[in-house]
Amino acid sequence: MRVDRFLSNLPRFNRQQVRLLLVERRIRIDGQAVSDPRAEVREFSCVEFDDEVLQAGKPARYFMLHKPPGCVSATRDPEHPTVLDLIHEPDTTDLHIAGRLDFNTTGLMLITNDGAWSRRLTQPQTKLPKVYYVETEQDIGEHYIHTFAQGLYFAFEDLTTQPAGLELLGPKQARLSIVEGRYHQVKRMFGHFDNKVLRLHRERMGPLALDATLAPGEYRALTAAEIQLI
Ligand code: URA
């Protein structure tokens, strides 16, 4: 929300006073005096008026998890363990998953309470590559490369997938890079050739790669530098 709107919403200031407070640089967001009425106030921002705290701001939290097979990418599930069951932190109820994985897919999963950050990561428009290691039942043909680069028509969504990059690693192994996260996207892409995906592992989301020191089921907080990358 814009800072002028944030201040006007408080019962104590009218619009005229808000304009003046900003001109006089008496408002600080995260320690920085602001005069621009369009400056952004987020739920995580600390907003001060002179020496008074108007909003303390809640801490933004970011975690990288090595998702094991056999767990659900949901916050709650009546039958199976969920990825959030693996996060042993206070107050996990405000956390969400940035880019789900199927039940048996393994690898990099990012978990946060910062909705704007996770949107930047997952929106197809930002074109951040999501990189998967894939093992299949049948041999992967060279012709897959061209088909995936052209995009595949998904009738259910009535769309053509964005160009995807395929690197062949072995007869039945490949690395696939996609910029979207459509429902079962990788399995459906290989399914186009009637080739079943037997193993799927997410190695990377944009600039963030799975930390090789994390065993399946382990997680760690992202560093400030990693958070800034998105
Ligand atoms: N594509 C899939 O088919 N499954 C996943 O878990 C991720 C991408």
Side-chain angles (χ1 to χ4, degrees):
M1 181 191 303
R2 288 167 53 131
V3 67
D4 57 352
R5 160 97 50 106
F6 170 86
L7 295 168
S8 309
N9 283 349
L10 302 175
R12 58 197 285 186
F13 303 129
N14 62 34
R15 280 162 185 266
Q16 174 80 19
Q17 288 166 320
V18 167
R19 263 196 295 274
L20 210 59
L21 290 178
L22 288 168
V23 169
E24 292 172 347
R25 299 179 69 83
R26 293 173 67 188
I27 302 295
R28 286 194 307 283
I29 300 178
D30 295 330
Q32 291 282 107
V34 289
S35 55
D36 185 349
R38 293 164 305 177
E40 204 193 352
V41 174
R42 309 184 61 209
E43 55 191 321
F44 309 112
S45 312
C46 169
V47 185
E48 292 163 286
F49 159 50
D50 293 339
D51 290 329
E52 187 185 338
V53 175
L54 298 175
Q55 173 179 284
K58 63 175 186 176
R61 299 187 295 163
Y62 308 85
F63 303 102
M64 166 188 291
L65 168 77
H66 185 164
K67 181 189 175 295
C71 88
V72 187
S73 287
T75 44
R76 230 171 262 265
D77 189 273
E79 269 182 69
H80 302 287
T82 73
V83 290
L84 281 187
D85 292 334
L86 298 168
I87 306 289
H88 305 292
E89 298 288 327
D91 196 15
T92 53
T93 51
D94 74 338
L95 295 175
H96 64 267
I97 297 153
R100 291 163 186 271
L101 292 175
D102 294 339
F103 188 64
N104 278 324
T105 302
T106 58
L108 176 64
M109 178 147 268
L110 295 165
I111 295 168
T112 180
N113 62 348
D114 183 345
W117 188 86
S118 60
R119 270 192 297 283
R120 283 200 295 283
L121 195 70
T122 53
Q123 269 172 351
Q125 297 90 300
T126 51
K127 296 205 189 295
L128 279 184
K130 286 85 186 171
V131 180
Y132 292 87
Y133 169 78
V134 190
E135 285 180 10
T136 55
E137 196 168 62
Q138 317 291 333
D139 284 3
I140 303 169
E142 290 269 349
H143 58 294
Y144 287 32
I145 297 174
H146 178 71
T147 306
F148 288 177
Q150 292 293 301
L152 278 169
Y153 180 66
F154 280 2
F156 183 73
E157 295 93 335
D158 187 24
L159 58 80
T160 300
T161 56
Q162 303 264 337
L166 185 71
E167 181 192 350
L168 302 184
L169 302 173
K172 296 182 171 73
Q173 289 110 26
R175 182 166 287 118
L176 178 70
S177 174
I178 57 176
V179 295
E180 305 147 288
R182 305 284 169 203
Y183 182 66
H184 294 327
Q185 179 160 345
V186 177
K187 290 175 186 160
R188 289 162 78 194
M189 289 173 73
F190 282 88
H192 173 80
F193 298 102
D194 284 327
N195 197 351
K196 190 170 172 194
V197 170
L198 299 181
R199 177 154 186 248
L200 188 56
H201 177 83
R202 186 157 63 197
E203 298 178 332
R204 165 181 292 280
M205 293 179 82
L208 296 174
L210 180 63
D211 188 329
T213 65
L214 291 176
E218 289 184 346
Y219 74 96
R220 68 161 171 83
L222 292 187
T223 64
E226 287 172 330
I227 297 162
Q228 289 297 316
L229 290 171
I230 304 298

